[in-house]
Amino acid sequence: MRIAAPVLASVLTLIVGSIFFASLGHDPLPTLYAFFVEPLSSMNGLSEWLLKASPLILIACGLAIGFRANVWNIGAEGQFIMGAVAASGVGLFWSDPDSALLLPLMFLAGMAAGMAWAAIPAFLRSRMNTNEILVTLMMTYIATLFLSYLVHGPWRDPAGFNYPQTALLPAAAMFQSFDPAYRLNSSIFITVVAVFLMWLFTDRSFLGYKMSVSGAAPLAARYAGFRESAAVWIGLLAGGAAAGIAGMAEAAGPLGQLSPQVSPGYGFAAIIVAFIGRLNAFGIVLGGLLMSLLFLGGEGVQMTLALPSALTRIFQGILLFFLLAADFFIFYRIRLVRPAPDAHALETAR
Amino acid sequence: MHPRLELRNISKRYPGVVANDDVSLSIQPGEIHAVLGENGAGKSTLMKIIYGAAHADSGEIYCDGNLILAHNPAMSRALGIEMVYQHFALFESVSVVENIALSASSAFNLPSLAEKIRELSLRYGMPIDPHRQVHDLSVGERQRVEIVRCLLQAPKLLILDEPTSVLTPQAVVKLFDTLRQLAAEGCSIVYISHKLDEVQELCDTATVLRNGKVTGTARPKETTSLELARMMVGSKLPEMHVSPAAPSEKPVLEVRDLSAKARDHFGVDLKDVSFNVHGGEIVGLAGVSGNGQAELIALLSGERRHGQGDAIKINGTPAASLRPDERRKLGLAFVPEERLGRGAVPSHTLWENAVLTAHRFGTVRKGLVDRRRAAAFASGIIDRFKVKANGPAATAQSLSGGNLQKYIVGREIALAPKLLLVSQPTWGVDVGASAFIRQTIVDLSRAGTAVFVVSEELDELFEICDRLLVICQGRVSPPLLRTSTDREEIGLLMTGRTMGKDQTGSSSVALQD
């Protein structure tokens, strides 16, 4: 049943999507084809598909570790941005731009920045019992504005015609593409390792077991003496680290510089990926591929059929909506409650 | 004259079990009729069918000679059938009269309803103040609220499900007076219980259920308890073997002047609690629920920590400020009263639930859970404690309450504890499994473990304990030797009567009348 809900939600999303296309005056079937199949029919399309799936899967893996323990990190977007900022800072200003250590240093900087950004809500939650949903979300806006300040002000490229963006990162600060014609690069191996680590942690490790007890039955966790604050810290730091690394890989991969639009919403979309993947490593891979396809398809029909760019977000929203609804109807049954019988009903009963 | 209620050939089956098999019984107006049986015998299902909360697969129900067709709880109320559940459904944060108004089916006027409640409760000898907040009421008083709520409907048939499990012996006497008065006025009463002495004292007739079938009907006042017990549990009655205790020289658990504020204002403050438990003995804590047992057990288990470390010592080590897992390293094991959600994770399998407390016993190696060993550990418990489960991969929530309790008790005993805390060891567990769990606890203590049992069932405490403590409003009495005390003395201590004059709080007042 746990697998039925995402499948059902995907099918319903397609149906509602078709109705949606029809109402915009497009024949649904060719439009769906343009949305979901055409992007995957070229080498470049496949490269872009994996390129976009990679950060989604990476972030979702980190988030799911917290979600399993009922630690709700909604601020991966902010942690992603801070990771990109810190990594780019190292890449741009490190004394030796040709050093082979540059990329590993940027990796560490991105991870540390993401974790630091998540550590603030973790500290507030474990010490002052603040709500991590609100704090992580608000921290995202701070991160967005901080990035905007940097690229408009101190870090703006002097040779960039006043565009709000930094200079390009040096070559040693970039992941190598597999083929110069396509953008897919070696950072995807980070995601592969992350998926394995996530599986190992949640399915096999004692620490992951403790986290799942905290999530499924907090009183049982207290009964066994598992520390609640440990679950909060691990949950938020795992999400922060994953998002920070994803931000670093985005800056050091397809972008090569910072601009206000570092993230097309990966941090928020990854929340949906984690849930569609049922917080399970393998499921998250599938969920990430699906969500990446929504991004690609949205861009595709925007160009070929002149459909609005909001379409991607609409599809994401419909998918999440149906997933939650499907879960609800799978775990609860609706029962009609009849009103109390009146005297007349009693008569007939006799 | 038609019987007030007549059941003819009621059968009800759930997947895997026959809850009721061809059950017939009839109850006259003004009769007090016992439905006797172990837990799991089908009493609750039968009551749900009578009340209309469940539907029989076959059979007929007649009320005053009329066949009831489309049955549901609303219909029951229209027919004058009312039910007092074992677990009360009251809103803690509002007053008595508001609670009763919430369940009223028609328009009401609070002041006049309050007046009615006062009048009715006085008439039946169980006074309650309609304007008291429910969270201030003792369990006995809450039960009165439930009963008065039913009486306001002027019922013709009142169903009570295990009503005495939460009452002191003195409160039970008061309840029985009320019920006899009701019966004398013509109201029929169905009294569900597994306590033979109560049924013999109160009831005119009894229907005994076992495995969903009627195994006999009797006039309890003219029948010996042995005969009734035979009907209830079949031929072989479980027997307890309690050998004399040989307490260790030094106490394993020492509690010294432990005081603690309640965690919320529904709780009870603990005041200067002191006692010892030695290895090889069982010490029981008696008391009406809600007198500080939950606070004490949370402080002993480590679920709640205390700033003053030496208020609790385990094997001489100050432990009051240690976490539960740190206390477990000192030899503590603990069976909490809530099985699902506290003693076990409902959605997890039995082997996963073994890891919950047995992670120091080879089920976790190098930071990874060893699934094979965890499953072997779980299978060991299932075999040794005869847990009816679909193997170690069954989820905790798929087990019946009694079986899960056997599993949790088994798991904690398998940890070879030096000190075992048990809260409500046999709550909702059938007679056979209860005897087994009690015997296991006795055997463990005779092998040298110190055991501390909290229970609301006095019979149970008298059966297994060597010494008894009584808790009342957060104070614990000096220890009493089981062999030199009796139910009367314990009952008085439970009401706080002999424990000084400075603490006549609300609940003791209620329990005195």
Side-chain angles (χ1 to χ4, degrees), chain A residues 346 348-350, chain B residues 8 59-70:
Chain A
L346 272 179
T348 47
R350 280 173 197 178
Chain B
R8 286 189 199 159
E60 290 160 345
I61 307 174
Y62 292 86
C63 185
D64 292 323
N66 298 313
L67 177 64
I68 305 179
L69 293 168

Side-chain angles (χ1 to χ4, degrees), chain A residues 200 203-207 209 212-213 216-227 338 340-341 345-346 348-350, chain B residues 67 69 74-75 78 263 303 323-325 328 334 336 341-342 345 348 352 355-357 359 364 367-369 371 411-412:
Chain A
L200 189 70
D203 260 44
R204 289 291 185 269
S205 79
F206 184 46
L207 210 52
Y209 169 81
S212 75
V213 172
L219 284 179
R222 179 176 281 186
Y223 160 77
F226 303 158
R227 272 178 275 197
R338 275 174 297 171
L346 272 179
T348 47
R350 280 173 197 178
Chain B
L67 177 64
L69 293 168
M75 169 74 84
R263 261 180 296 191
E303 286 162 310
R323 285 198 319 272
D325 52 333
R328 282 174 177 273
F334 169 43
R342 187 165 164 201
V345 181
H348 280 188
E352 285 175 299
V355 180
L356 193 63
T357 60
H359 51 82
V364 172
L368 298 183
V369 175
R371 294 182 170 205
R411 179 186 70 195
E412 297 303 298

Side-chain angles (χ1 to χ4, degrees), chain B residues 9 12 74-75 107 123 152 181 265 278 286 335 344 404 424 478:
Chain B
N9 313 104
K12 171 80 179 172
M75 169 74 84
R123 187 149 74 86
L152 277 169
Q181 188 184 346
H265 67 277
H278 293 257
V335 179
L404 185 58
Q424 314 296 353

Side-chain angles (χ1 to χ4, degrees), chain A residues 231-323:
Chain A
V232 170
W233 277 100
I234 294 170
L236 278 161
L237 291 183
I245 294 168
M248 172 269 175
E250 193 69 7
L255 300 182
Q257 64 185 155
L258 284 182
S259 74
Q261 294 84 32
V262 169
S263 168
Y266 286 151
F268 293 119
I271 298 169
I272 306 177
V273 170
F275 278 104
I276 291 185
R278 312 272 78 176
L279 309 183
N280 163 293
F282 183 63
I284 284 171
V285 172
L286 295 180
L289 290 173
L290 174 64
M291 188 60 68
S292 165
L293 187 55
L294 287 181
F295 275 107
L296 275 188
E299 283 173 16
V301 295
Q302 191 186 341
M303 285 185 282
T304 55
L305 301 172
L307 281 164
S309 65
L311 211 55
T312 303
R313 296 270 165 95
I314 290 175
F315 264 89
Q316 287 178 7
I318 294 174
L319 184 60
L320 182 62
F321 174 82
F322 278 126
L323 181 72

